[in-house]
Each structure stands twice: as C-alpha cells, then as structure tokens.
Amino acid sequence: MEHEVYVPFPVGTVRQALTEPERVARCVPGVQLDAEAAAHRPEGRLRLRIGSSTITYRGSLTVSEPGDGADAAVTVEAKGTETRGDGAVALTLTVRLSPATEPGPGTTLSCAGTVHGDGRLTEATDRSAESAGRRLLDRFAENLTEDLRQRPVPDAGQAARPGVFDTEVPPPSLDPHSDEDAAEPAGTGDPADAAGPADTADALDDLVSEDRVPELRAEHAYGPEADAAAPAEAAHARRTMIGRSAEEVDHAPPRGRYAPVPAPETGGTSATLRWAAPAAAVVLASAVVVGRVLRRRR
C-alpha cells in the first residue's frame, strides 16, 4: 500500500520528529502507551477498526535512524498480537520526506508499507484493509501536526549546546598546598596587614585585658572574697559542700531557694472531725432522752 500525507512543518523538523519512537507511537490513532515503557521502544495497546469489526493488538514499535542523505527514508516497524485471540500482525512502513508547497509550505510524507498477519485480520477484505490503512495515516499526520505545535522539537543549536549539568567540572587538586600557592604572596600587599607571631600575641593580650573582659558574677566565683560577695544562702551551701564526696553531693537535698516546698498540714481538719463526732452523739442522745420524758408526762 502507498499513500501520501501532508504536514505543515519543514522537512528537517518532521524528520527529527519521526526519529523519536515515543512521539511516533503517541501520534498513532487508537494507541494507549504503557507508562513504564522505554522511550526508544514504546509498548502499549492499539485498537484498529477494519470494516465493521474492531481488533485490539498489544505490541511494540521501533524506528530506524535515517541515513545521512537529504532524501533518506525513515523506517517504522511495529509488531503485535491480539489481546483476544491467537492472531499476530507485523508492519513495516517506509516514509520518505520531500518539501511541499501545496496547500502551503510544509512536508509531504510518502508512505509505502507491507502488512503480514493472521487471525481476525485475514477475515477483512483487501479494500477494507486498504481503507483502514489510509485512514490511519491521515489521522497520524493530523496528530503529528498537533503534537509538533504543543511539543516543538529542539533546534540543532539548542541540542548541541551543553546544559548546566553537562559542563565538565575540573577535578579537585590533591596537593594540600595548592590553596596556599594560589593565595596572594607575602610582601605584595599593605605592610600593615602582614602581622607576625609577636603582633598576634599582643592582639590576643589586648582582647583578654581587664578592660574588655567583664567581671565574673559573684555567685560563680570561688574563694573567701567570692563567699563574702555572694548571698548568705549560696555561701553556706558552697561551704557545706566542700569536703563531701561526689555521691553525697549528688544525693544531698537542695537548700535555700531551691529547697522543696513542704506540703500543707492536714492535722486541723482531722482534729475538727475527731471532736465533731462525739458532740453529734451527745446531741442525739439528749434528743432521745427528752423525747421519752415528754411521752411519759402525757
């Protein structure tokens, strides 16, 4: 079978698009690609309508790279098996590209293909099979045009230009003194910037001088003077901790402001209850006695 279709894009753009197997498979009408399929060999399902019947195939598609010549053809091969049956089909399609002026500037795809298959495909007539093939190629050209508009092919200059991650990074130097060699040599800068060991020691002395270092807080100092300056509770706690072992200090109860607050005494409430019970018994007994006396008088 031979058939021609038109694509409104330059020959170079269409040729580069046909070398992408995933794009070619995506533009085939009725195809459903697998998400985990490889880009160079897409796989999936194809629903093909021939005459009054619809056949579903599962297979793969490959594209052969064209030669160096301007008129080199692109070869597309597809193989599949019926999902409901034992039939199989194999397609070999040769596509030649040429500039076109009608209906506008673009590319004409001259397709010539052969189909070998068995199963339900053999039940269709030659006329219905040829009509299905032409309809498939026409819709393929329409899908390819729309796909190129939504996903343009990269230019040759953009494809050749290396990206950020493709730029070669020089290996790091293994010489530990390489950074020192790259630094500015001594003597070329300001003489005041070059300081020796003596100047460094003087600078450290100035930093730790009495004028720049704040006085230590009294509660963190040690000695008789620190005990005199510290609060009385802190000084007493420090003196009592001297001479004890580490275990005694660790288990010693806190004193002063850190001592635990004792729980309130509950003795007052218990004492009240202890005196209230006998009083209630006396009152009750008195009421009983008074009641009996009144009854006798009556």
PDB file of all heavy atoms in Angstrom, residues 32-64:
ATOM      1  N   GLN A  32      -2.704   3.285  23.084  1.00  0.00           N
ATOM      2  CA  GLN A  32      -2.614   3.566  24.518  1.00  0.00           C
ATOM      3  C   GLN A  32      -1.292   3.011  25.016  1.00  0.00           C
ATOM      4  O   GLN A  32      -1.111   1.804  25.144  1.00  0.00           O
ATOM      5  CB  GLN A  32      -3.791   2.939  25.272  1.00  0.00           C
ATOM      6  CG  GLN A  32      -3.781   3.252  26.767  1.00  0.00           C
ATOM      7  CD  GLN A  32      -4.954   2.625  27.496  1.00  0.00           C
ATOM      8  OE1 GLN A  32      -5.782   1.956  26.875  1.00  0.00           O
ATOM      9  NE2 GLN A  32      -5.043   2.849  28.796  1.00  0.00           N
ATOM     10  N   LEU A  33      -0.339   3.924  25.292  1.00  0.00           N
ATOM     11  CA  LEU A  33       1.012   3.522  25.656  1.00  0.00           C
ATOM     12  C   LEU A  33       1.096   3.155  27.130  1.00  0.00           C
ATOM     13  O   LEU A  33       0.371   3.694  27.973  1.00  0.00           O
ATOM     14  CB  LEU A  33       2.000   4.655  25.342  1.00  0.00           C
ATOM     15  CG  LEU A  33       2.135   5.061  23.875  1.00  0.00           C
ATOM     16  CD1 LEU A  33       3.110   6.220  23.740  1.00  0.00           C
ATOM     17  CD2 LEU A  33       2.586   3.884  23.028  1.00  0.00           C
ATOM     18  N   ASP A  34       2.027   2.230  27.426  1.00  0.00           N
ATOM     19  CA  ASP A  34       2.308   1.857  28.810  1.00  0.00           C
ATOM     20  C   ASP A  34       3.171   2.937  29.450  1.00  0.00           C
ATOM     21  O   ASP A  34       4.084   3.488  28.820  1.00  0.00           O
ATOM     22  CB  ASP A  34       3.012   0.504  28.872  1.00  0.00           C
ATOM     23  CG  ASP A  34       2.140  -0.618  28.320  1.00  0.00           C
ATOM     24  OD1 ASP A  34       0.901  -0.439  28.267  1.00  0.00           O
ATOM     25  OD2 ASP A  34       2.704  -1.663  27.932  1.00  0.00           O
ATOM     26  N   ALA A  35       2.893   3.227  30.711  1.00  0.00           N
ATOM     27  CA  ALA A  35       3.643   4.285  31.394  1.00  0.00           C
ATOM     28  C   ALA A  35       5.080   3.874  31.648  1.00  0.00           C
ATOM     29  O   ALA A  35       5.982   4.720  31.639  1.00  0.00           O
ATOM     30  CB  ALA A  35       2.953   4.646  32.713  1.00  0.00           C
ATOM     31  N   GLU A  36       5.355   2.585  31.877  1.00  0.00           N
ATOM     32  CA  GLU A  36       6.711   2.147  32.207  1.00  0.00           C
ATOM     33  C   GLU A  36       7.519   1.709  30.999  1.00  0.00           C
ATOM     34  O   GLU A  36       8.617   1.160  31.146  1.00  0.00           O
ATOM     35  CB  GLU A  36       6.654   0.994  33.214  1.00  0.00           C
ATOM     36  CG  GLU A  36       6.008  -0.285  32.685  1.00  0.00           C
ATOM     37  CD  GLU A  36       4.507  -0.265  32.779  1.00  0.00           C
ATOM     38  OE1 GLU A  36       3.964   0.786  33.178  1.00  0.00           O
ATOM     39  OE2 GLU A  36       3.877  -1.292  32.461  1.00  0.00           O
ATOM     40  N   ALA A  37       6.996   1.942  29.791  1.00  0.00           N
ATOM     41  CA  ALA A  37       7.711   1.510  28.586  1.00  0.00           C
ATOM     42  C   ALA A  37       8.914   2.405  28.330  1.00  0.00           C
ATOM     43  O   ALA A  37       8.938   3.584  28.691  1.00  0.00           O
ATOM     44  CB  ALA A  37       6.775   1.534  27.382  1.00  0.00           C
ATOM     45  N   ALA A  38       9.939   1.841  27.678  1.00  0.00           N
ATOM     46  CA  ALA A  38      11.140   2.602  27.336  1.00  0.00           C
ATOM     47  C   ALA A  38      10.846   3.554  26.190  1.00  0.00           C
ATOM     48  O   ALA A  38      10.013   3.282  25.320  1.00  0.00           O
ATOM     49  CB  ALA A  38      12.277   1.650  26.969  1.00  0.00           C
ATOM     50  N   ALA A  39      11.551   4.708  26.195  1.00  0.00           N
ATOM     51  CA  ALA A  39      11.295   5.719  25.165  1.00  0.00           C
ATOM     52  C   ALA A  39      11.744   5.253  23.790  1.00  0.00           C
ATOM     53  O   ALA A  39      11.132   5.615  22.773  1.00  0.00           O
ATOM     54  CB  ALA A  39      12.007   7.023  25.538  1.00  0.00           C
ATOM     55  N   HIS A  40      12.813   4.458  23.703  1.00  0.00           N
ATOM     56  CA  HIS A  40      13.299   4.009  22.401  1.00  0.00           C
ATOM     57  C   HIS A  40      12.505   2.828  21.850  1.00  0.00           C
ATOM     58  O   HIS A  40      12.640   2.496  20.667  1.00  0.00           O
ATOM     59  CB  HIS A  40      14.780   3.621  22.503  1.00  0.00           C
ATOM     60  CG  HIS A  40      15.015   2.417  23.386  1.00  0.00           C
ATOM     61  ND1 HIS A  40      15.062   2.511  24.758  1.00  0.00           N
ATOM     62  CD2 HIS A  40      15.197   1.103  23.080  1.00  0.00           C
ATOM     63  CE1 HIS A  40      15.266   1.312  25.271  1.00  0.00           C
ATOM     64  NE2 HIS A  40      15.355   0.440  24.285  1.00  0.00           N
ATOM     65  N   ARG A  41      11.693   2.195  22.697  1.00  0.00           N
ATOM     66  CA  ARG A  41      10.862   1.076  22.256  1.00  0.00           C
ATOM     67  C   ARG A  41       9.531   1.127  23.004  1.00  0.00           C
ATOM     68  O   ARG A  41       9.293   0.365  23.930  1.00  0.00           O
ATOM     69  CB  ARG A  41      11.580  -0.261  22.505  1.00  0.00           C
ATOM     70  CG  ARG A  41      10.849  -1.477  21.907  1.00  0.00           C
ATOM     71  CD  ARG A  41      11.574  -2.769  22.258  1.00  0.00           C
ATOM     72  NE  ARG A  41      10.860  -3.926  21.785  1.00  0.00           N
ATOM     73  CZ  ARG A  41      10.967  -4.439  20.570  1.00  0.00           C
ATOM     74  NH1 ARG A  41      11.780  -3.853  19.698  1.00  0.00           N
ATOM     75  NH2 ARG A  41      10.283  -5.511  20.210  1.00  0.00           N
ATOM     76  N   PRO A  42       8.639   2.021  22.587  1.00  0.00           N
ATOM     77  CA  PRO A  42       7.362   2.142  23.297  1.00  0.00           C
ATOM     78  C   PRO A  42       6.487   0.911  23.097  1.00  0.00           C
ATOM     79  O   PRO A  42       6.491   0.283  22.042  1.00  0.00           O
ATOM     80  CB  PRO A  42       6.730   3.396  22.675  1.00  0.00           C
ATOM     81  CG  PRO A  42       7.373   3.522  21.337  1.00  0.00           C
ATOM     82  CD  PRO A  42       8.762   2.994  21.484  1.00  0.00           C
ATOM     83  N   GLU A  43       5.724   0.578  24.110  1.00  0.00           N
ATOM     84  CA  GLU A  43       4.812  -0.553  24.089  1.00  0.00           C
ATOM     85  C   GLU A  43       3.436  -0.096  24.551  1.00  0.00           C
ATOM     86  O   GLU A  43       3.304   0.884  25.299  1.00  0.00           O
ATOM     87  CB  GLU A  43       5.327  -1.687  24.988  1.00  0.00           C
ATOM     88  CG  GLU A  43       6.670  -2.251  24.562  1.00  0.00           C
ATOM     89  CD  GLU A  43       7.141  -3.351  25.489  1.00  0.00           C
ATOM     90  OE1 GLU A  43       6.446  -3.579  26.514  1.00  0.00           O
ATOM     91  OE2 GLU A  43       8.173  -3.978  25.212  1.00  0.00           O
ATOM     92  N   GLY A  44       2.417  -0.827  24.106  1.00  0.00           N
ATOM     93  CA  GLY A  44       1.069  -0.467  24.509  1.00  0.00           C
ATOM     94  C   GLY A  44       0.022  -1.241  23.722  1.00  0.00           C
ATOM     95  O   GLY A  44       0.303  -2.301  23.133  1.00  0.00           O
ATOM     96  N   ARG A  45      -1.213  -0.695  23.703  1.00  0.00           N
ATOM     97  CA  ARG A  45      -2.350  -1.319  23.026  1.00  0.00           C
ATOM     98  C   ARG A  45      -2.789  -0.438  21.858  1.00  0.00           C
ATOM     99  O   ARG A  45      -2.703   0.791  21.921  1.00  0.00           O
ATOM    100  CB  ARG A  45      -3.514  -1.513  23.995  1.00  0.00           C
ATOM    101  CG  ARG A  45      -3.238  -2.498  25.109  1.00  0.00           C
ATOM    102  CD  ARG A  45      -4.378  -2.469  26.127  1.00  0.00           C
ATOM    103  NE  ARG A  45      -4.193  -3.460  27.178  1.00  0.00           N
ATOM    104  CZ  ARG A  45      -4.740  -4.673  27.166  1.00  0.00           C
ATOM    105  NH1 ARG A  45      -5.518  -5.040  26.159  1.00  0.00           N
ATOM    106  NH2 ARG A  45      -4.540  -5.532  28.149  1.00  0.00           N
ATOM    107  N   LEU A  46      -3.290  -1.081  20.819  1.00  0.00           N
ATOM    108  CA  LEU A  46      -3.791  -0.392  19.630  1.00  0.00           C
ATOM    109  C   LEU A  46      -5.141  -0.988  19.253  1.00  0.00           C
ATOM    110  O   LEU A  46      -5.254  -2.200  19.026  1.00  0.00           O
ATOM    111  CB  LEU A  46      -2.811  -0.530  18.459  1.00  0.00           C
ATOM    112  CG  LEU A  46      -3.327  -0.008  17.108  1.00  0.00           C
ATOM    113  CD1 LEU A  46      -3.564   1.496  17.174  1.00  0.00           C
ATOM    114  CD2 LEU A  46      -2.340  -0.356  15.989  1.00  0.00           C
ATOM    115  N   ARG A  47      -6.154  -0.132  19.185  1.00  0.00           N
ATOM    116  CA  ARG A  47      -7.489  -0.542  18.730  1.00  0.00           C
ATOM    117  C   ARG A  47      -7.618  -0.150  17.253  1.00  0.00           C
ATOM    118  O   ARG A  47      -7.601   1.028  16.908  1.00  0.00           O
ATOM    119  CB  ARG A  47      -8.573   0.137  19.565  1.00  0.00           C
ATOM    120  CG  ARG A  47      -8.576  -0.295  21.023  1.00  0.00           C
ATOM    121  CD  ARG A  47      -9.784   0.273  21.743  1.00  0.00           C
ATOM    122  NE  ARG A  47     -11.020  -0.236  21.137  1.00  0.00           N
ATOM    123  CZ  ARG A  47     -12.247   0.158  21.495  1.00  0.00           C
ATOM    124  NH1 ARG A  47     -12.390   1.081  22.429  1.00  0.00           N
ATOM    125  NH2 ARG A  47     -13.311  -0.348  20.901  1.00  0.00           N
ATOM    126  N   LEU A  48      -7.765  -1.127  16.413  1.00  0.00           N
ATOM    127  CA  LEU A  48      -7.824  -0.924  14.968  1.00  0.00           C
ATOM    128  C   LEU A  48      -9.200  -1.341  14.464  1.00  0.00           C
ATOM    129  O   LEU A  48      -9.626  -2.479  14.693  1.00  0.00           O
ATOM    130  CB  LEU A  48      -6.722  -1.750  14.274  1.00  0.00           C
ATOM    131  CG  LEU A  48      -6.627  -1.620  12.757  1.00  0.00           C
ATOM    132  CD1 LEU A  48      -6.288  -0.186  12.370  1.00  0.00           C
ATOM    133  CD2 LEU A  48      -5.572  -2.581  12.205  1.00  0.00           C
ATOM    134  N   ARG A  49      -9.850  -0.413  13.773  1.00  0.00           N
ATOM    135  CA  ARG A  49     -11.172  -0.701  13.221  1.00  0.00           C
ATOM    136  C   ARG A  49     -11.036  -0.999  11.726  1.00  0.00           C
ATOM    137  O   ARG A  49     -10.586  -0.155  10.943  1.00  0.00           O
ATOM    138  CB  ARG A  49     -12.116   0.480  13.440  1.00  0.00           C
ATOM    139  CG  ARG A  49     -13.547   0.206  12.966  1.00  0.00           C
ATOM    140  CD  ARG A  49     -14.478   1.339  13.329  1.00  0.00           C
ATOM    141  NE  ARG A  49     -15.850   1.052  12.896  1.00  0.00           N
ATOM    142  CZ  ARG A  49     -16.700   0.301  13.557  1.00  0.00           C
ATOM    143  NH1 ARG A  49     -16.332  -0.263  14.705  1.00  0.00           N
ATOM    144  NH2 ARG A  49     -17.936   0.082  13.102  1.00  0.00           N
ATOM    145  N   ILE A  50     -11.439  -2.196  11.319  1.00  0.00           N
ATOM    146  CA  ILE A  50     -11.392  -2.639   9.925  1.00  0.00           C
ATOM    147  C   ILE A  50     -12.788  -3.113   9.551  1.00  0.00           C
ATOM    148  O   ILE A  50     -13.287  -4.098  10.100  1.00  0.00           O
ATOM    149  CB  ILE A  50     -10.366  -3.762   9.716  1.00  0.00           C
ATOM    150  CG1 ILE A  50      -8.972  -3.295  10.109  1.00  0.00           C
ATOM    151  CG2 ILE A  50     -10.354  -4.221   8.269  1.00  0.00           C
ATOM    152  CD1 ILE A  50      -7.904  -4.353   9.960  1.00  0.00           C
ATOM    153  N   GLY A  51     -13.399  -2.398   8.628  1.00  0.00           N
ATOM    154  CA  GLY A  51     -14.758  -2.746   8.234  1.00  0.00           C
ATOM    155  C   GLY A  51     -15.716  -2.521   9.382  1.00  0.00           C
ATOM    156  O   GLY A  51     -15.798  -1.429   9.959  1.00  0.00           O
ATOM    157  N   SER A  52     -16.442  -3.551   9.744  1.00  0.00           N
ATOM    158  CA  SER A  52     -17.428  -3.472  10.832  1.00  0.00           C
ATOM    159  C   SER A  52     -16.927  -4.094  12.125  1.00  0.00           C
ATOM    160  O   SER A  52     -17.705  -4.241  13.067  1.00  0.00           O
ATOM    161  CB  SER A  52     -18.718  -4.183  10.399  1.00  0.00           C
ATOM    162  OG  SER A  52     -18.455  -5.549  10.093  1.00  0.00           O
ATOM    163  N   SER A  53     -15.659  -4.468  12.190  1.00  0.00           N
ATOM    164  CA  SER A  53     -15.102  -5.111  13.383  1.00  0.00           C
ATOM    165  C   SER A  53     -13.938  -4.280  13.923  1.00  0.00           C
ATOM    166  O   SER A  53     -13.302  -3.510  13.193  1.00  0.00           O
ATOM    167  CB  SER A  53     -14.618  -6.532  13.066  1.00  0.00           C
ATOM    168  OG  SER A  53     -13.611  -6.493  12.078  1.00  0.00           O
ATOM    169  N   THR A  54     -13.685  -4.452  15.210  1.00  0.00           N
ATOM    170  CA  THR A  54     -12.581  -3.759  15.882  1.00  0.00           C
ATOM    171  C   THR A  54     -11.666  -4.804  16.502  1.00  0.00           C
ATOM    172  O   THR A  54     -12.122  -5.686  17.236  1.00  0.00           O
ATOM    173  CB  THR A  54     -13.104  -2.800  16.965  1.00  0.00           C
ATOM    174  OG1 THR A  54     -14.001  -1.858  16.369  1.00  0.00           O
ATOM    175  CG2 THR A  54     -11.953  -2.052  17.630  1.00  0.00           C
ATOM    176  N   ILE A  55     -10.379  -4.684  16.203  1.00  0.00           N
ATOM    177  CA  ILE A  55      -9.367  -5.621  16.711  1.00  0.00           C
ATOM    178  C   ILE A  55      -8.417  -4.853  17.623  1.00  0.00           C
ATOM    179  O   ILE A  55      -7.943  -3.765  17.278  1.00  0.00           O
ATOM    180  CB  ILE A  55      -8.588  -6.281  15.565  1.00  0.00           C
ATOM    181  CG1 ILE A  55      -9.546  -6.871  14.527  1.00  0.00           C
ATOM    182  CG2 ILE A  55      -7.654  -7.355  16.103  1.00  0.00           C
ATOM    183  CD1 ILE A  55      -8.850  -7.419  13.300  1.00  0.00           C
ATOM    184  N   THR A  56      -8.124  -5.423  18.783  1.00  0.00           N
ATOM    185  CA  THR A  56      -7.192  -4.820  19.730  1.00  0.00           C
ATOM    186  C   THR A  56      -5.907  -5.627  19.742  1.00  0.00           C
ATOM    187  O   THR A  56      -5.921  -6.842  19.975  1.00  0.00           O
ATOM    188  CB  THR A  56      -7.797  -4.768  21.145  1.00  0.00           C
ATOM    189  OG1 THR A  56      -9.031  -4.050  21.097  1.00  0.00           O
ATOM    190  CG2 THR A  56      -6.854  -4.079  22.122  1.00  0.00           C
ATOM    191  N   TYR A  57      -4.800  -4.928  19.482  1.00  0.00           N
ATOM    192  CA  TYR A  57      -3.472  -5.551  19.480  1.00  0.00           C
ATOM    193  C   TYR A  57      -2.644  -4.979  20.625  1.00  0.00           C
ATOM    194  O   TYR A  57      -2.817  -3.826  21.036  1.00  0.00           O
ATOM    195  CB  TYR A  57      -2.740  -5.287  18.156  1.00  0.00           C
ATOM    196  CG  TYR A  57      -3.348  -5.959  16.951  1.00  0.00           C
ATOM    197  CD1 TYR A  57      -4.213  -5.270  16.108  1.00  0.00           C
ATOM    198  CD2 TYR A  57      -3.044  -7.277  16.648  1.00  0.00           C
ATOM    199  CE1 TYR A  57      -4.772  -5.885  14.998  1.00  0.00           C
ATOM    200  CE2 TYR A  57      -3.588  -7.902  15.541  1.00  0.00           C
ATOM    201  CZ  TYR A  57      -4.452  -7.203  14.723  1.00  0.00           C
ATOM    202  OH  TYR A  57      -5.008  -7.831  13.622  1.00  0.00           O
ATOM    203  N   ARG A  58      -1.739  -5.816  21.089  1.00  0.00           N
ATOM    204  CA  ARG A  58      -0.739  -5.385  22.072  1.00  0.00           C
ATOM    205  C   ARG A  58       0.628  -5.684  21.503  1.00  0.00           C
ATOM    206  O   ARG A  58       0.935  -6.828  21.147  1.00  0.00           O
ATOM    207  CB  ARG A  58      -0.914  -6.083  23.412  1.00  0.00           C
ATOM    208  CG  ARG A  58       0.151  -5.675  24.430  1.00  0.00           C
ATOM    209  CD  ARG A  58      -0.155  -6.165  25.827  1.00  0.00           C
ATOM    210  NE  ARG A  58       0.843  -5.673  26.777  1.00  0.00           N
ATOM    211  CZ  ARG A  58       0.810  -4.477  27.334  1.00  0.00           C
ATOM    212  NH1 ARG A  58      -0.179  -3.657  27.054  1.00  0.00           N
ATOM    213  NH2 ARG A  58       1.748  -4.094  28.179  1.00  0.00           N
ATOM    214  N   GLY A  59       1.469  -4.626  21.413  1.00  0.00           N
ATOM    215  CA  GLY A  59       2.775  -4.825  20.805  1.00  0.00           C
ATOM    216  C   GLY A  59       3.707  -3.660  21.078  1.00  0.00           C
ATOM    217  O   GLY A  59       3.528  -2.890  22.027  1.00  0.00           O
ATOM    218  N   SER A  60       4.711  -3.517  20.219  1.00  0.00           N
ATOM    219  CA  SER A  60       5.747  -2.502  20.382  1.00  0.00           C
ATOM    220  C   SER A  60       6.070  -1.883  19.036  1.00  0.00           C
ATOM    221  O   SER A  60       5.689  -2.410  17.979  1.00  0.00           O
ATOM    222  CB  SER A  60       7.011  -3.109  20.996  1.00  0.00           C
ATOM    223  OG  SER A  60       7.516  -4.141  20.164  1.00  0.00           O
ATOM    224  N   LEU A  61       6.801  -0.767  19.078  1.00  0.00           N
ATOM    225  CA  LEU A  61       7.147  -0.019  17.862  1.00  0.00           C
ATOM    226  C   LEU A  61       8.598   0.403  17.940  1.00  0.00           C
ATOM    227  O   LEU A  61       9.086   0.803  19.003  1.00  0.00           O
ATOM    228  CB  LEU A  61       6.231   1.197  17.727  1.00  0.00           C
ATOM    229  CG  LEU A  61       6.439   2.104  16.498  1.00  0.00           C
ATOM    230  CD1 LEU A  61       5.086   2.610  16.003  1.00  0.00           C
ATOM    231  CD2 LEU A  61       7.317   3.306  16.863  1.00  0.00           C
ATOM    232  N   THR A  62       9.278   0.336  16.813  1.00  0.00           N
ATOM    233  CA  THR A  62      10.676   0.773  16.714  1.00  0.00           C
ATOM    234  C   THR A  62      10.833   1.637  15.474  1.00  0.00           C
ATOM    235  O   THR A  62      10.102   1.481  14.491  1.00  0.00           O
ATOM    236  CB  THR A  62      11.640  -0.421  16.637  1.00  0.00           C
ATOM    237  OG1 THR A  62      11.282  -1.252  15.513  1.00  0.00           O
ATOM    238  CG2 THR A  62      11.602  -1.233  17.912  1.00  0.00           C
ATOM    239  N   VAL A  63      11.799   2.543  15.508  1.00  0.00           N
ATOM    240  CA  VAL A  63      12.091   3.454  14.397  1.00  0.00           C
ATOM    241  C   VAL A  63      13.561   3.335  14.069  1.00  0.00           C
ATOM    242  O   VAL A  63      14.417   3.417  14.958  1.00  0.00           O
ATOM    243  CB  VAL A  63      11.731   4.905  14.752  1.00  0.00           C
ATOM    244  CG1 VAL A  63      12.102   5.849  13.608  1.00  0.00           C
ATOM    245  CG2 VAL A  63      10.247   5.029  15.078  1.00  0.00           C
ATOM    246  N   SER A  64      13.876   3.136  12.781  1.00  0.00           N
ATOM    247  CA  SER A  64      15.261   3.056  12.307  1.00  0.00           C
ATOM    248  C   SER A  64      15.743   4.448  11.947  1.00  0.00           C
ATOM    249  O   SER A  64      15.024   5.217  11.293  1.00  0.00           O
ATOM    250  CB  SER A  64      15.372   2.120  11.101  1.00  0.00           C
ATOM    251  OG  SER A  64      14.925   0.819  11.439  1.00  0.00           O
TER     252      SER A  64
END
